[in-house]
């Protein structure tokens, strides 16, 4: 079994255990605002994103075998794991997604950054515990980062979701 996939399968339950509220017994018809809607899809998104670790970066890339840029990675992961078709740039995704308070962010939500001097120029997938996965650059490819890393913290623009 692939090491990345093995570790992803083993670690994901711990990520969700640390990041989700204990109020997960709310009725399905009216979920608590602290509980993420579609938890199974969110978990699938995180698992798929983790399986993409160490994949190559390609500007404009949206395919598994050719590599990804940031929005291409998000589009691929959301489509393959949750059946959610997203297209366009990071800024276009930010326009369509609903802004959420950081206290309501859950694994599978998106994180946005200003890396090019323009709003929402970079996007990643929040995986919980203060971390996100993104297609960083040609040198490093798809990797995890901490949101409190100095570089990312200075450029952070917020969480957004397609699950609210």
């Amino acid at each position: 079994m692939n090491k990345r996939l093995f570790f992803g399968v083993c670690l994901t339950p711990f990520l969700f255990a640390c990041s989700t509220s204990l109020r997960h017994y709310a009725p399905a018809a009216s979920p608590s605002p602290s509980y993420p809607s579609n938890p199974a899809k969110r978990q699938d998104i995180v698992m798929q994103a983790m399986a993409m670790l160490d994949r190559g970066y390609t500007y404009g890339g949206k395919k598994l075998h050719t590599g990804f840029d940031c929005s291409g990675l998000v589009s691929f992961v959301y489509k393959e794991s949750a059946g959610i078709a997203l297209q366009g740039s990071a800024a276009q995704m930010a326009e369509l997604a609903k802004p959420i308070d950081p206290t309501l962010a859950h694994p599978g939500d998106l994180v946005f950054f200003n890396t090019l001097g323009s709003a929402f120029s970079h996007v990643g997938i929040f995986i919980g515990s203060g971390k996100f996965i993104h297609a960083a650059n040609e040198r490093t490819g798809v990797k995890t980062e901490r949101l409190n890393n100095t570089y990312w913290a200075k450029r952070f623009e917020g969480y957004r979701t397609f699950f609210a």
Side-chain angles (χ1 to χ4, degrees), residues 8-81:
V9 170
C10 292
L11 294 176
T12 298
F14 294 109
L15 291 173
F16 279 90
C18 295
S19 63
T20 57
S21 170
L22 291 177
R23 290 184 274 171
H24 67 279
Y25 296 107
S30 59
S32 164
S34 65
Y35 183 67
S37 62
N38 296 307
K41 282 188 180 183
R42 288 175 175 277
Q43 185 172 9
D44 289 346
I45 288 168
V46 171
M47 293 295 296
Q48 182 72 43
M50 292 177 98
M52 298 299 104
L53 289 172
D54 299 324
R55 296 281 179 182
Y57 178 95
T58 300
Y59 181 77
K62 298 180 183 317
K63 296 183 180 169
L64 182 63
H65 300 294
T66 58
F68 302 103
D69 66 4
C70 67
S71 60
L73 173 68
V74 170
S75 295
F76 179 84
V77 168
Y78 266 63
K79 178 68 175 165
E80 292 297 313
S81 60

Side-chain angles (χ1 to χ4, degrees), residues 71-124:
S71 60
L73 173 68
V74 170
S75 295
F76 179 84
V77 168
Y78 266 63
K79 178 68 175 165
E80 292 297 313
S81 60
I84 299 171
L86 301 176
Q87 296 179 353
S89 67
Q92 290 166 325
M93 288 179 186
E95 216 173 277
L96 296 172
K98 180 183 177 186
I100 54 172
D101 187 89
T103 61
L104 298 177
H106 291 280
D109 287 329
L110 301 180
V111 288
F112 290 90
F113 305 90
N114 179 338
T115 58
L116 300 175
S118 60
F120 307 110
S121 52
H122 190 72
V123 61

